[in-house]
Amino acid sequence: MITTDAITWPELGWNEGNKKGWKRQGPNARNIAILERAVELVNSVPYDVTARWLFYGLWQRGYYSHQQKTEKKSAKERAYGNFCDLMSELRHSPPEWQERFPISLADDRRDPIHFTDGYRTPAEWLQHTRDNIQCDVDYMSGQERYVMVAFEAEAMQSQFIHYTAGYGVSLWPFSGHASIAYKQRLAEHIAVVRRRAGVPVIILYFGDLDPTGELIPETAFTHVRKWCEVGFTAYRAGLNREHVLAYDIPDDPDRPGKFQWEAVSDDAAREIITGALNSLIRLDVLNDVRRREAMTTAAARKALGGISI
């Protein structure tokens, strides 16, 4: 727990109350058959697969033919929900079961993928490179701790990009309850930066002050801590009860006593975000990194200016 300017940050990610996964006896015979076939399907292609892709491979082959529809859901919808539960149970189970069924799923994304973007000529590429080359240094370089930021909703993204841009911290929007694949990526990223920087990793989380808003980070960081190969610390840096009092934040009219981040004024949000970062990041070190980054960029552009095609 950290206290700064009369604000207490509760530490996150130590909730062992909700333990999913199988005990030593493992899954039942039907699920073992499903998992064995799932491993075969995953290994049959040279790329990462999503949960939906894997499910359809099992569905089409009759592995969920026993599933019955209800008044509200089709048999396929119920089967997909059960399949997702099975994948979650596998990820939370003892190592021997994860080693027996090594299934890693990609997160579903809908971003376009372009292979046709390019320059008309090498000279056009060179000119663009001269104009846009930029030395890119990790702004956490030289800091006493490696700071990252996570937040609850995608609707907050523009605000957090704006107020953290000068600090160079990585941002991790959770969009509600994060997927297993997303939490695995976060665990892997923490391990990479911890080994590279050689300093403690601290994650500051910002979200709603209500039961769901408190459950989301607690559950997520409990899972990330379980899967991460290195230690780290996560704190709830906002909203906290002290912020409600300090900034007179109104509660949700439909849910008295519950407080949404979107109800925080922009000035208050800026103070909460930057105040938390300023308490952990040495600004003199950060400014020196920026200075050296700018000098290197200028030198690279000058060198490229001497090349002609």
Side-chain angles (χ1 to χ4, degrees), residues 260-273:
Q260 306 297 115
W261 180 270
E262 289 79 3
V264 181
S265 71
D266 189 63
D267 286 342
R270 172 180 51 79
E271 289 185 11
I272 294 171
I273 296 167

Side-chain angles (χ1 to χ4, degrees), residues 159-174:
Q159 184 183 65
F160 274 83
I161 290 174
H162 180 74
Y163 287 127
T164 66
Y167 297 90
V169 294
S170 62
L171 301 178
W172 291 80
F174 276 22

